[in-house]
Amino acid sequence: MKNQLYQQTVLKHNRDPRNYGVIEDCSHHAEGFNPLCGDEVKVYMQVEDDLVKAIQFTGKGCAVSQASASIMTTALIGKSLDEAMAQFDEFMKMASGEKQDPQGEIAAFAGISQFPSRVKCAVLSWQTFNAALKAVDNTISTE
Ligand code: ZN
């Protein structure tokens, strides 16, 4: 685990989250809970022409859950839906320990699979994004 990168990146995004706030009249939204840790994340997206034009989140909980949500928004904004889903798959594979060479700040979470109790914190925002996009169920729980 790249401990220093992980700690610095998580601390930075937890202290100063990017794309924090509600998007009124958004095209997609969902709400996620991780009861194990008490984390909550709401994801709001404006999708136009198969592009993630805007993505924001609100939430509360541990530093890992909130930093992961902040990093996710920076990774997905401006992406096509195909690219965004590829990022989602990559993050989920990384979290399960299958893949270990992510790009950008997501790399801070490489090795998180060694800490099962933190995996649910890290994937919460991504699963909430996935739920928002699919709009199958607008409330998810990692339990
Ligand atoms: Zn947590």
Side-chain angles (χ1 to χ4, degrees):
M1 184 140 183
K2 297 167 185 165
N3 262 316
Q4 226 179 345
L5 175 65
Y6 171 70
Q7 283 177 5
Q8 283 174 0
T9 307
V10 166
L11 285 175
K12 186 182 81 177
H13 279 272
N14 186 50
R15 196 168 52 226
D16 184 19
R18 306 297 168 83
N19 304 307
Y20 193 90
V22 177
I23 301 176
E24 302 290 347
D25 302 322
C26 59
S27 61
H28 296 71
H29 68 96
E31 190 169 2
F33 297 97
N34 173 18
L36 208 65
C37 182
D39 306 318
E40 295 178 26
V41 171
K42 291 181 186 177
V43 173
Y44 307 88
M45 286 191 293
Q46 190 60 41
V47 176
E48 284 173 37
D49 303 326
D50 282 340
L51 281 178
V52 181
K53 287 264 183 179
I55 177 166
Q56 295 192 178
F57 80 101
T58 61
K60 58 182 182 187
C62 70
V64 173
S65 67
Q66 303 305 303
S68 177
S70 173
I71 291 166
M72 179 189 76
T73 62
T74 65
L76 297 183
I77 197 159
K79 294 272 162 65
S80 71
L81 293 184
D82 284 350
E83 289 167 337
M85 284 315 294
Q87 283 279 14
F88 168 75
D89 287 340
E90 185 174 71
F91 194 91
M92 296 308 287
K93 279 185 183 152
M94 183 179 73
S96 67
E98 267 181 70
K99 196 170 188 292
Q100 292 297 343
D101 55 351
Q103 301 297 307
E105 287 190 305
I106 289 173
F109 294 99
I112 194 107
S113 61
Q114 295 164 38
F115 302 91
S117 65
R118 313 263 58 182
V119 168
K120 286 181 176 172
C121 304
V123 301
L124 176 64
S125 56
W126 289 88
Q127 289 185 335
T128 307
F129 153 76
N130 187 43
L133 200 57
K134 306 246 159 97
V136 184
D137 181 353
N138 282 333
T139 305
I140 64 121
S141 169
T142 55
E143 280 302 283

